[in-house]
Amino acid sequence: MSDITRRDFVTATAATAACAAVGVTPTYAAAIAPGGGAQPVRAAAGPVIVGSGNCLSGEGYRQRCIDRVVELLAAGKGPLEAVVEGVALVEADPKDMSVGYGGLPNEEGVVELDASVMDGVLHRSGAVGGLQRIMHPARVAKLVLERTDHCMLVGEGALKFARAHGFEEMNLLTNEAREAWLKWKETHSEDDDWIPPEVDENGKQSARWRAWPFSYGTINCCALDVKGNLAGVTTTSGLSYKLPGRVGDSPIIGAGLYVDNEVGAAGSTGRGEAVIQICGAHTVVEAMRQGKSPKDACLEACDRVVKKNRLKRLQTKDGRPNFGLNFYAVNNKGEHGGASIWSGSQYAAYVNGEAKLVPSAFLFETEK
Ligand code: ASP
């Protein structure tokens, strides 16, 4: 039995029989995936796309990310190109202040972007960290995957690489993001020389000190195409007002993104430090490998974060995380799921030809 192992053959044969029972085209199901295993029986017809809620926003901007991914897959593009070009719409959208152009800057007022991509077909990845002046870090990450022998470029090196590939440099700081940063700068401490205007925008006496909440935001998008191939992308401006050079989970393979054609794909948004410390997306994929549904796998990763969150300054009075994070997952059967530590989140899914926001599973009810 030349290229196909006996196990693959038996699994493929079983898949074909199962498909016949549920009326799915057996030729597809019996095909051998590039990863070497047999294609699983699909739970959904057509492609499945899963990601953060902003895959479905984009009012006023040309097109929603998810619609673009669907369009590109339908045009025969691979899932990697499709997701990278889908999130490019959000990277270019000044209204999304957590991604690309218009993203909130670091503590010095400089926008620094992180992104990663992963391709399940050849199990390759690419990433950039702390990239300045380039609107589309996910495209640069895809070129790191395709045109270097490396997995990640950061800072000045990533910028030089983007320049070499002809990316246009620009000021990524919009007026809105600059004003938000300035307000933070002038009010997050009483012990410096920055002073807010006497009255704030509501005509009230400006406070010199404000406890600013953590401000996160990112786009993650993973796609399963009709051939059973997976790819994913995560792209972000990261934590607002971060220390220059701070890199979050988004460009870290296994943290903000992980794809394995033989199992599924997962991504995350929210407090990147916590995701990195439990290897979040990898944890989700490995839980799916052990047989968990995407939703339960995402919940398991959230639970791991809660159990490992031992610093008092990161806990509520009940000992729960005082931050939020979300996981999104799709398995190679096309089942999808999402979970967050706290209630109230939604994730985006495109399944059986329909794009929708789905309530995420959660561990704790958000206190009102
Ligand atoms: N995970 C991102 C980071 O920590 C931010 C976010 O998703 O909100 O940089």
Side-chain angles (χ1 to χ4, degrees), residues 253-293:
I253 292 300
L257 181 69
Y258 194 67
V259 178
D260 184 331
N261 243 32
E262 285 157 276
V263 180
S268 69
T269 59
R271 182 178 156 80
E273 284 72 9
V275 176
I276 292 172
Q277 285 159 353
I278 65 134
C279 300
H282 184 259
T283 295
V284 174
V285 171
E286 291 311 302
M288 293 196 288
R289 195 191 304 276
Q290 304 304 319
K292 290 219 156 146
S293 70

Side-chain angles (χ1 to χ4, degrees), residues 216-218 236 238-239 246 248-250 269-272:
Y216 295 102
T218 292
T236 189
L239 175 67
R246 179 266 188 188
D249 57 326
S250 308
T269 59
R271 182 178 156 80

Side-chain angles (χ1 to χ4, degrees), residues 69-352:
V69 179
V70 172
E71 199 176 271
L72 289 168
L73 290 174
K77 302 290 180 196
L80 180 65
E81 180 171 351
V83 292
V84 168
E85 290 311 309
V87 299
L89 294 168
V90 182
E91 289 175 327
D93 182 354
K95 291 209 185 72
D96 192 318
M97 294 174 81
S98 67
V99 179
Y101 176 57
L104 289 171
N106 67 20
E107 69 171 20
E108 293 176 353
V110 178
V111 180
E112 289 186 327
L113 305 176
D114 296 338
S116 63
V117 298
M118 190 156 183
D119 160 40
V121 179
L122 294 174
H123 205 71
R124 299 179 297 174
S125 65
V128 289
L131 177 63
Q132 299 181 9
R133 301 186 56 74
I134 303 291
M135 185 191 270
H136 293 297
R139 286 183 181 158
V140 184
K142 181 165 172 280
L143 281 168
V144 172
L145 174 154
E146 290 168 345
R147 304 283 289 273
T148 76
D149 189 34
H150 306 311
C151 291
M152 188 178 209
L153 295 175
V154 301
E156 189 60 26
L159 178 58
K160 283 185 183 160
F161 175 75
R163 270 189 206 129
H165 278 277
F167 281 81
E168 198 185 310
E169 284 178 65
M170 62 179 292
N171 176 19
L172 299 175
L173 188 68
T174 56
N175 255 333
E176 212 184 335
R178 184 190 53 74
E179 277 167 14
W181 166 78
L182 187 61
K183 196 164 172 189
W184 168 82
K185 187 89 184 149
E186 292 178 338
T187 59
H188 79 283
S189 164
E190 290 183 305
D191 291 333
D192 60 26
D193 296 333
W194 292 76
I195 298 177
E198 274 187 18
V199 285
D200 67 16
E201 68 277 13
N202 304 315
K204 297 213 178 92
Q205 177 78 36
S206 290
R208 185 126 189 247
W209 184 82
R210 262 193 63 182
W212 289 87
F214 299 107
S215 171
Y216 295 102
T218 292
I219 186 164
N220 162 253
C221 185
C222 294
L224 172 71
D225 74 6
V226 290
K227 294 186 196 135
N229 291 322
L230 286 153
V233 61
T234 305
T235 173
T236 189
S237 53
L239 175 67
S240 59
Y241 322 132
K242 58 195 174 186
L243 293 183
R246 179 266 188 188
V247 168
D249 57 326
S250 308
I252 310 284
I253 292 300
L257 181 69
Y258 194 67
V259 178
D260 184 331
N261 243 32
E262 285 157 276
V263 180
S268 69
T269 59
R271 182 178 156 80
E273 284 72 9
V275 176
I276 292 172
Q277 285 159 353
I278 65 134
C279 300
H282 184 259
T283 295
V284 174
V285 171
E286 291 311 302
M288 293 196 288
R289 195 191 304 276
Q290 304 304 319
K292 290 219 156 146
S293 70
K295 180 185 90 177
D296 287 345
C298 291
L299 278 170
E300 178 168 324
C302 289
D303 187 54
R304 184 84 50 89
V305 170
V306 173
K307 294 205 168 100
K308 299 290 181 191
N309 184 48
R310 294 176 186 153
L311 294 175
K312 283 270 174 272
R313 69 180 168 83
L314 293 173
Q315 294 177 353
T316 63
K317 55 180 178 350
D318 307 329
R320 294 171 175 176
N322 63 7
F323 53 83
L325 53 79
N326 317 282
F327 290 106
Y328 318 97
V330 54
N331 66 18
N332 63 1
K333 293 186 237 166
E335 294 163 335
H336 59 93
S340 308
I341 294 182
W342 295 98
S343 64
S345 292
Q346 296 180 309
Y347 67 96
Y350 175 90
V351 195
N352 293 327

